[in-house]
Amino acid sequence: MSRGLGEIEFVAGLPDPVVVATALVTALGDVWFVFLLLGTLYWFGTALPSPVSLSRRHAAFAIALAFGGLAATTALKETFRLPRPPGAAEPAGAGLIPELLLPLYAEIGASSGFGFPSGHAVSAVVVYGGLALLVGSTRGYAVGAVLCAVIPLSRIVLGVHYLVDVLAGVALGAAYLGLVYRLCGRGSNPGRAMMIALIVAVVGAGLSYTTDTMLALGGALGARMAWGSIGGAVVHEPVTRLGGALGAAVGLGFAGLFAVVYIVDPAPYLAFIGIFVVIWGVLAAPLAGESLARTI
């Protein structure tokens, strides 16, 4: 029995240019984009200009939120195992895309696997809603609210989720964000947020041994262990723009490994090991960057 209310049939009639533009919006909730965004905020810290600058402590908290949201999403998808709308694996609006760019567009504009709840909806709320809370400005709240709305809606326009999937994802993301933000000192305790993400990831891995659940578990475990070991040093490390740039260079090296893990779809245990190593490198990168900056 379909979960749809006619929304998929409605969006199927939208012009292709609208659909293609929507794919650009949905990319803001993709794992690879969130990884680069949060990594950049963490590596540079307060060296970035306002209003996008965050302390590295707060950026680490945002990273913890992202892993927690991912873990919760994979756990629930494996629990309900509900299919996506028909045709979700075929990118809508592909007729406007040059053949050379079709694989990239298909990666962004199409989806496979289980559909409930929407991972992009969860990610939009926990990441962009979380960043809005951490920035704490009127502009930040406004931008966060817009992204929390348009990214989930883009999934319906692309025909990869039903409305109920998106609403469930928004509700799950809001509940998770509110709970973790309150329990973790309003963003001041990333270690505790990482522990909560780890607990959720363990539950997901217990439900199903898949690449996605192992990615969530490896990332959450790596983040908690890395922050427990070097978090204090990162927080007390002086922040410079040069150190941030050098740290970003180090972190992007590990991002290359993440790209391999993300694209290749390896065996679950390899996904676990790969993301575990990656997150250690990402979180340690500022220490390497600032250390190198002092020698120049």
Side-chain angles (χ1 to χ4, degrees):
M1 181 177 179
S2 172
R3 306 189 303 282
L5 301 173
E7 66 274 26
I8 301 302
E9 293 75 13
F10 174 78
V11 299
L14 293 175
D16 283 352
V18 173
V19 177
V20 172
T22 301
L24 298 178
V25 174
T26 211
L28 299 178
D30 279 357
V31 171
W32 64 268
F33 183 85
V34 169
F35 181 93
L36 288 177
L37 171 65
L38 297 183
T40 299
L41 293 175
Y42 176 76
W43 296 324
F44 281 93
T46 52
L48 288 174
S50 179
V52 296
S53 65
L54 288 176
S55 69
R56 284 173 176 155
R57 182 193 295 274
H58 278 161
F61 181 80
I63 291 172
L65 285 174
F67 274 115
L70 175 63
T73 300
T74 55
L76 288 176
K77 283 189 176 183
E78 290 297 332
T79 298
F80 291 103
R81 304 177 73 85
L82 296 176
R84 293 179 184 269
E90 298 297 326
L96 295 181
I97 306 300
E99 186 174 352
L100 184 64
L101 298 178
L102 270 178
L104 176 61
Y105 180 74
E107 183 68 28
I108 296 172
S111 292
S112 58
F114 300 122
F116 181 90
S118 165
H120 278 69
V122 176
S123 178
V125 175
V126 299
V127 172
Y128 295 108
L131 289 175
L133 290 174
L134 294 171
V135 170
S137 67
T138 301
R139 181 182 298 180
Y141 293 141
V143 172
V146 170
L147 292 175
C148 287
V150 298
I151 293 174
L153 287 175
S154 73
R155 307 303 286 165
I156 301 174
V157 173
L158 291 171
V160 298
H161 277 297
Y162 294 108
L163 174 62
V164 66
D165 303 339
V166 166
L167 293 178
V170 170
L172 172 62
Y176 187 85
L177 173 59
L179 177 65
V180 175
Y181 189 71
R182 180 168 183 175
L183 291 178
C184 300
R186 304 175 72 83
S188 65
N189 194 335
R192 183 178 295 174
M194 291 169 184
M195 179 57 72
I196 294 172
L198 177 57
I199 292 171
V200 177
V202 168
V203 173
L207 291 171
S208 180
Y209 176 69
T210 67
T211 297
D212 287 342
T213 58
M214 288 299 104
L215 275 172
L217 180 59
L221 178 61
R224 182 63 191 91
M225 291 180 65
W227 191 257
S229 298
I230 64 173
V234 170
V235 168
H236 292 99
E237 183 72 34
V239 179
T240 66
R241 186 164 295 180
L242 176 59
L246 293 172
V250 173
L252 287 172
F254 285 92
L257 176 58
F258 172 78
V260 172
V261 173
Y262 181 65
I263 294 172
V264 172
D265 192 25
Y269 74 93
L270 291 176
F272 174 88
I273 295 170
I275 197 65
F276 182 89
V277 173
V278 166
I279 197 62
W280 265 89
V282 167
L283 293 180
L287 296 179
E290 298 296 352
S291 178
L292 287 171
R294 286 193 290 269
T295 67
I296 297 176

